[in-house]
């Protein structure tokens, strides 16, 4: 099923993001995660693509397994910065062969050594989206990444939003946002894109913070802002990991409840491959009427 078809059915679309295991952890570990959250019945699961294409084969294998073994709808992330058009073409053909037709198309982050191979590639998300639409037409459903506070490299918000509009004009059918901790910023973002005539569904990216190290990483990578109550929470429990994890789940829950009350199109939970956290948030947000809640994960 194309993920665009999930919207407009009178309830928010709930998705979980997972990533291929890193650091020599076997791929089976992510299947354990999937087994533990399958009964939460997300509308779809998205599978990340390592910086610079470093997880090409793992992303393909996991996306196929989500779809064909776990029976969940799937979206494969794909990036263009370090790939030539033939490489992207082959990757998408391989995905489609496995029945994966939903793509989150992005420029991507440079690899750790920051080396970007020479030759034709896709310098921006909009370039990759345009290519995919031309090459695969209606055979794929394409999502784009969006940044409610602006992309960390953007000159200003206005320019970033213009580039977001370009991604939609090139063929993106839905948007998934970077994590944010202040819902008011997200609501202002929705107003701004509405003024630009962007009418596609937007899934709000929610990241349950579980430890102080994650917060430092978020600052360095994403440049998102922290509202005072979030900063107070992290400061209060910085040396008490168990309490910070509890508070992080509560914070994410509160954010989602507010977003649901607002009437958002979708909630995209960055699960960090943590089934227990994901289950607790899902139970808390009370979308339980259509979801099983028994059992446990981590
Ligand atoms: P772009 O839209 O290309 O924007 C990047 C910068 O260039 C911005 O500052 C923008 O303002 C500017 N810009 C855009 N278009 C133009 C143009 N035509 N001319 C000049 N400037 C322009 N990364 C991964 O490597 N793997 C993943 O799996 C992954 N998953 C993600 C999932 C989500 C939901 C999100 C929000 C991000 C994810 N990322 C992932 C991170 C993403 O790849 C990075 O943020 C990357 O730096 C930007 O990709 P993009 O397609 O959004 O960028």
């Amino acid at each position: 099923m194309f993920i665009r078809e999930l919207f407009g059915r009178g309830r928010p679309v709930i998705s979980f993001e997972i990533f291929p295991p890193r650091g020599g952890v076997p791929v089976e570990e992510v299947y354990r995660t999937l087994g533990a959250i399958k009964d939460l019945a997300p509308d779809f699961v998205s599978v990340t693509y390592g910086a610079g294409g470093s997880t090409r084969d793992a992303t393909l294998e996991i996306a196929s397994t989500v779809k064909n073994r776990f029976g969940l709808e799937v979206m494969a992330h794909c990036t263009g910065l370090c790939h030539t058009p033939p490489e992207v073409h082959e990757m998408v053909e391989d995905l489609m062969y496995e029945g994966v037709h939903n793509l989150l198309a992005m420029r991507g982050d440079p690899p750790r050594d920051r080396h970007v191979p020479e030759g034709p590639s896709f310098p921006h998300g909009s370039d990759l989206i345009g290519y995919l639409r031309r090459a695969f037409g209606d055979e794929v459903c394409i999502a784009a990444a969006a940044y409610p506070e602006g992309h960390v490299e953007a000159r200003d918000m206005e320019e970033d939003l213009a580039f977001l509009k370009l991604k939609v004009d090139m063929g993106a059918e839905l948007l998934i946002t970077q994590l944010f901790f202040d819902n008011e910023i997200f609501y202002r973002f929705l107003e701004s894109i509405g003024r630009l005539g962007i009418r596609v569904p937007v899934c709000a990216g929610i990241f349950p913070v579980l430890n102080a190290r994650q917060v430092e990483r978020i600052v360095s990578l994403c440049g998102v802002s922290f509202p005072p109550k979030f900063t107070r929470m992290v400061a209060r429990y910085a040396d008490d990991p168990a309490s910070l994890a509890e508070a992080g789940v509560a914070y994410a829950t509160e954010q989602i409840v507010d977003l649901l009350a607002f009437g958002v199109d979708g909630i995209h939970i960055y699960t960090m491959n943590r089934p227990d956290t994901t289950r607790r948030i899902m139970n808390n947000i009370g979308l339980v009427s259509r979801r099983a809640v028994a059992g446990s994960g981590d």
Side-chain angles (χ1 to χ4, degrees):
M1 171 183 244
F2 290 127
I3 284 167
R4 62 165 175 267
E5 294 167 11
L6 296 169
F7 296 91
R9 295 180 169 191
R11 64 172 180 80
V13 169
I14 307 289
S15 51
F16 296 165
E17 180 171 308
I18 60 170
F19 55 81
R22 297 184 274 245
V25 176
V27 73
E28 283 68 31
E29 194 55 30
V30 80
Y31 300 146
R32 198 181 70 84
T33 298
L34 282 164
I37 55 179
K38 180 179 184 302
D39 69 320
L40 297 172
D43 292 296
F44 70 93
V45 172
S46 85
V47 185
T48 67
Y49 194 74
S54 54
T55 66
R56 181 199 186 279
D57 292 344
T59 297
L60 174 63
E61 183 195 316
I62 296 168
S64 169
T65 306
V66 169
K67 172 107 186 162
N68 300 310
R69 183 167 128 205
F70 289 93
L72 296 169
E73 197 43 79
V74 72
M75 171 178 279
H77 297 205
C78 60
T79 65
L81 186 63
C82 294
H83 289 310
T84 61
E87 286 168 349
V88 167
H89 204 276
E90 189 186 322
M91 170 73 178
V92 175
E93 280 189 330
D94 289 351
L95 284 164
M96 292 201 305
Y97 182 79
E98 298 295 330
V100 179
H101 291 257
N102 298 297
L103 308 168
L104 172 54
M106 291 161 292
R107 178 193 74 175
D109 284 326
R112 269 177 205 278
D113 62 10
R114 307 204 69 78
H115 174 71
V116 176
E118 282 180 26
S121 75
F122 302 92
H124 291 292
S126 51
D127 301 313
L128 180 61
I129 292 165
Y131 172 79
L132 292 172
R133 188 55 79 211
R134 285 191 302 278
F136 297 100
D138 289 342
E139 285 183 89
V140 288
C141 170
I142 305 174
Y147 304 85
E149 299 180 58
H151 185 270
V152 69
E153 296 164 29
R155 232 183 355 214
D156 56 49
M157 192 67 195
E158 199 182 338
E159 189 185 73
D160 204 42
L161 289 175
F163 291 134
L164 182 62
K165 172 88 165 59
L166 182 61
K167 294 198 239 192
V168 174
D169 291 345
M170 296 307 278
E173 296 159 275
L174 65 132
L175 304 175
I176 303 183
T177 79
Q178 176 167 265
L179 56 92
F180 59 89
F181 297 102
D182 184 342
N183 287 1
E184 297 308 320
I185 290 176
F186 177 73
Y187 300 144
R188 286 199 290 277
F189 167 76
L190 289 183
E191 272 175 30
S192 302
I193 65 172
R195 278 197 296 274
L196 288 176
I198 295 177
R199 304 272 178 253
V200 298
V202 182
C203 297
I206 295 296
F207 184 97
V209 163
L210 298 177
N211 59 61
R213 202 162 36 86
Q214 285 174 331
V215 178
E216 284 163 23
R217 210 171 135 71
I218 289 166
V219 174
S220 68
L221 283 180
C222 311
V224 302
S225 54
F226 300 129
K229 64 179 177 178
F230 180 87
T231 312
R232 278 195 297 275
M233 176 187 86
V234 176
R236 172 76 179 81
Y237 300 118
D239 299 325
D240 179 355
S243 298
L244 182 54
E246 284 292 319
V249 167
Y251 194 94
T253 300
E254 194 186 310
Q255 260 194 292
I256 296 172
V257 168
D258 181 60
L259 290 162
L260 294 177
F262 185 87
V264 292
D265 300 312
I267 303 283
H268 184 71
I269 300 177
Y270 293 94
T271 72
M272 298 305 287
N273 291 2
R274 300 287 295 260
D276 186 48
T277 306
T278 310
R279 177 174 298 281
R280 290 181 53 210
I281 291 172
M282 290 295 283
N283 287 351
N284 288 348
I285 62 178
L287 286 172
V288 288
S289 56
R290 65 185 183 91
R291 297 171 201 285
V293 291
S296 180
D298 291 349

